[in-house]
Amino acid sequence: MAARLDEMDRKILAELQDDAAQSLDEIARKVGSSKTPVWNRIKRMKEDGVITRQTVLLHAEALGLEACFFVLIRTSEHEADWQAKFLRALQERPEVLEAHRLAGDIDYILKVRVKNARAYDIFYQALISEVRIFNVTALLSMEEIKSTTVLPV
Amino acid sequence: MAARLDEMDRKILAELQDDAAQSLDEIARKVGSSKTPVWNRIKRMKEDGVITRQTVLLHAEALGLEACFFVLIRTSEHEADWQAKFLRALQERPEVLEAHRLAGDIDYILKVRVKNARAYDIFYQALISEVRIFNVTALLSMEEIKSTTVLPV
DNA sequence: CTCAATATAGAACATTATCCCGTATTTCCG
DNA sequence: CGGAAATACGGGATAATGTTCTATATTGAG
């Protein structure tokens, strides 16, 4: 997975991140190459797992998902089967967009997108009834200042 | 921005979120329609801002970005020009993938992707030298349990 | 029920992705 | 250095796809 990327690869990735709908000819022109090498490089980077997927990003508010919470979780349980159960619960719930296991006294952080505070509470009640959790703090986002999937290349 | 979406629109969005590279014919077949209406609906949803962009997702580790931090920020300053400056600083830094203004005693949360802890420290030092911040807590991600851009439709 | 407005399917055309091939460039080893 | 092997390149051929058009079907309002 330690893919070696040269300058050309990185330029191509920058273009694809910016707009994956543009044509190969256009990308080739912008990065100063031609269609075939660009196509081969993209193919290789997909195979190597550098490019994981091609998708569209949607406007959450337009879909009626107007609330975003960051959830800080402490747990007293650290056994393998508890963790597996917790993990499965998160994977199953589409409102959980991100979940990280952390170092330090907070064990997990979640990013949760829901319709409103009521929907968050329903999610929260369902989660704690399914897996034992010691302590939860929810941070409510008032404003999404920045949100990007673009990684610096 | 309160776009009204019917079942067909939602099916199309689900398909596009799953794989934006598939052809119109394929999407049309899956959602039980044909090319033209699917194309028209996608066009409309782009115009309406429901679909904001088409992009590729990259594997951060493969790019050498192996560390992810969530940064909890408290500030004593709440004036407009401080906020504008802070906002600009975040926008300019590509390692800041997300930034939210919060309700409650923590004012902001950031998600920051960097090469390693050293790179985070450089980012952190640069940020606090640029804007006055009262209190910072960094949460280090040990493991990305879940990460998706797919919104439930 | 009737008319108007909108959505649809399929065909026609334009653009693009994909693959092939001959040439140029780089790399590696003597 | 020099030369051979491997790799990368540019441009063209072809298959696939996106885009637009038109005639028909469906829906909704009065």
Side-chain angles (χ1 to χ4, degrees):
Chain A
M1 190 53 63
R4 222 170 334 293
L5 304 171
D6 63 13
E7 262 316 298
M8 184 61 73
D9 288 326
R10 290 175 191 277
K11 282 188 195 172
I12 293 169
L13 289 178
E15 285 302 326
L16 286 175
Q17 286 193 106
D18 182 54
D19 178 8
Q22 59 189 324
S23 73
L24 282 175
D25 282 319
E26 204 168 342
I27 295 170
R29 187 179 52 74
K30 287 185 187 171
V31 303
S33 183
S34 69
K35 203 163 41 169
T36 306
V38 171
W39 188 80
N40 284 326
R41 284 163 180 270
I42 291 172
K43 183 160 176 272
R44 180 172 47 75
M45 290 192 284
K46 281 179 179 167
E47 287 165 1
D48 292 351
V50 175
I51 299 172
T52 57
R53 64 194 329 228
Q54 185 168 335
T55 189
V56 295
L57 302 183
L58 307 184
H59 193 246
E61 273 80 8
L63 292 167
L65 300 170
E66 303 199 337
C68 180
F69 289 84
F70 288 88
V71 185
L72 307 180
I73 295 176
R74 286 190 183 84
T75 177
S76 43
E77 321 223 3
H78 293 91
E79 273 137 56
D81 61 339
W82 179 90
Q83 197 174 327
K85 194 174 168 191
F86 181 55
L87 213 137
R88 206 172 331 113
L90 299 177
Q91 295 287 2
E92 278 170 6
R93 294 178 200 286
E95 58 267 57
V96 178
L97 302 187
E98 295 211 23
H100 292 250
R101 185 167 58 79
L102 301 175
D105 65 325
I106 297 170
D107 296 305
Y108 297 93
I109 186 169
L110 313 182
K111 182 186 170 191
V112 180
R113 264 261 170 225
V114 285
K115 194 163 154 247
N116 50 34
R118 167 178 293 276
Y120 171 73
D121 193 49
I122 291 168
F123 159 79
Y124 167 74
Q125 297 290 346
L127 185 67
I128 62 169
S129 76
E130 195 166 336
V131 291
R132 173 172 290 276
I133 290 171
F134 175 65
N135 180 272
V136 175
T137 305
L139 308 176
L140 170 59
S141 171
M142 288 284 99
E143 183 187 2
E144 197 170 271
I145 296 173
K146 183 175 184 177
S147 178
T148 182
T149 59
V150 177
L151 300 177
V153 293
Chain B
M1 189 56 63
R4 218 165 339 288
L5 304 171
D6 63 14
E7 263 316 299
M8 183 61 74
D9 288 326
R10 291 177 190 276
K11 282 188 196 171
I12 292 169
L13 290 178
E15 286 301 326
L16 286 176
Q17 286 193 108
D18 181 53
D19 179 9
Q22 59 190 327
S23 73
L24 283 174
D25 282 318
E26 204 168 342
I27 295 169
R29 187 179 52 75
K30 288 185 186 171
V31 303
S33 183
S34 68
K35 204 158 47 166
T36 307
V38 171
W39 189 82
N40 284 326
R41 282 162 181 270
I42 291 173
K43 181 159 178 272
R44 180 172 47 74
M45 291 191 283
K46 280 180 178 167
E47 288 165 0
D48 292 350
V50 176
I51 297 172
T52 58
R53 65 195 327 229
Q54 185 168 334
T55 189
V56 294
L57 302 183
L58 307 184
H59 193 247
E61 274 80 7
L63 291 168
L65 300 170
E66 303 198 338
C68 181
F69 289 84
F70 288 88
V71 186
L72 307 179
I73 295 175
R74 285 190 184 84
T75 178
S76 43
E77 322 224 2
H78 295 91
E79 273 135 58
D81 60 341
W82 179 91
Q83 196 174 329
K85 194 175 166 189
F86 181 56
L87 213 136
R88 206 174 328 114
L90 299 178
Q91 295 286 2
E92 279 171 4
R93 294 179 202 283
E95 57 268 56
V96 178
L97 302 187
E98 294 211 24
H100 292 251
R101 185 167 59 79
L102 301 175
D105 65 324
I106 297 170
D107 296 305
Y108 296 93
I109 187 169
L110 314 182
K111 181 187 171 192
V112 181
R113 264 260 169 223
V114 284
K115 195 164 153 244
N116 48 35
R118 169 179 292 275
Y120 171 73
D121 193 49
I122 291 169
F123 159 79
Y124 168 73
Q125 296 291 345
L127 185 66
I128 62 169
S129 76
E130 196 167 332
V131 292
R132 172 172 290 276
I133 290 171
F134 175 65
N135 180 270
V136 176
T137 304
L139 309 177
L140 169 59
S141 171
M142 289 282 98
E143 183 187 2
E144 198 171 271
I145 295 173
K146 182 174 184 178
S147 179
T148 183
T149 59
V150 176
L151 300 176
V153 292

